[in-house]
Amino acid sequence: MYRSGDKDELAILQDTLIGKTELEAEKRKDEMGFTAEQREVYTTIGGVPFLDNEYTVYGEVVEGMDVVDAIQKVKTNSQDRPLENIVIEKVEVVND
């Protein structure tokens, strides 16, 4: 859907996955061992607990879009995963 440019279907899929994730999180909230505060963060700010410490989540790029563009152009496999891992060696967190 992403590659074909079908933004409407992609938005529907995204909404479906978010809904399923929220339902699953609600069902498992007691067994996951999260505090009420942690659950509040996941439901208001976002995130998927089982992806924590497994995948990088990007925020807003304030400079260096050339790097983002270069990452976007790498060759990927059929699951849209880069053929070679992309490692970002320097990251700066800017708090506004």
Side-chain angles (χ1 to χ4, degrees), residues 1-94:
M1 287 179 250
Y2 175 78
R3 287 184 182 211
S4 68
D6 192 343
K7 293 181 180 180
D8 292 335
E9 285 297 317
L10 191 57
I12 291 169
L13 175 61
Q14 179 181 359
D15 290 343
T16 300
L17 292 174
I18 289 170
K20 287 183 178 188
T21 301
E22 289 170 348
L23 287 173
E24 191 64 27
E26 186 64 29
K27 286 193 300 189
R28 295 183 181 202
K29 72 180 181 183
D30 292 330
E31 67 188 60
M32 294 171 97
F34 291 117
T35 66
E37 181 181 14
Q38 289 169 318
R39 283 193 296 277
E40 178 70 17
V41 169
Y42 279 115
T43 57
T44 58
I45 296 174
V48 181
F50 68 86
L51 295 179
D52 285 354
N53 300 315
E54 296 294 327
Y55 293 89
T56 300
V57 177
Y58 290 91
E60 180 181 5
V61 177
V62 293
E63 64 180 65
M65 281 304 295
D66 57 320
V67 176
V68 175
D69 292 337
I71 291 171
Q72 180 182 352
K73 293 177 184 176
V74 300
K75 293 187 185 288
T76 59
N77 64 19
S78 61
Q79 286 83 36
D80 204 26
R81 177 160 172 76
L83 297 177
E84 294 183 23
N85 286 338
I86 298 171
V87 178
I88 299 174
E89 296 178 6
K90 181 182 177 190
V91 175
E92 182 178 340
V93 177
V94 178

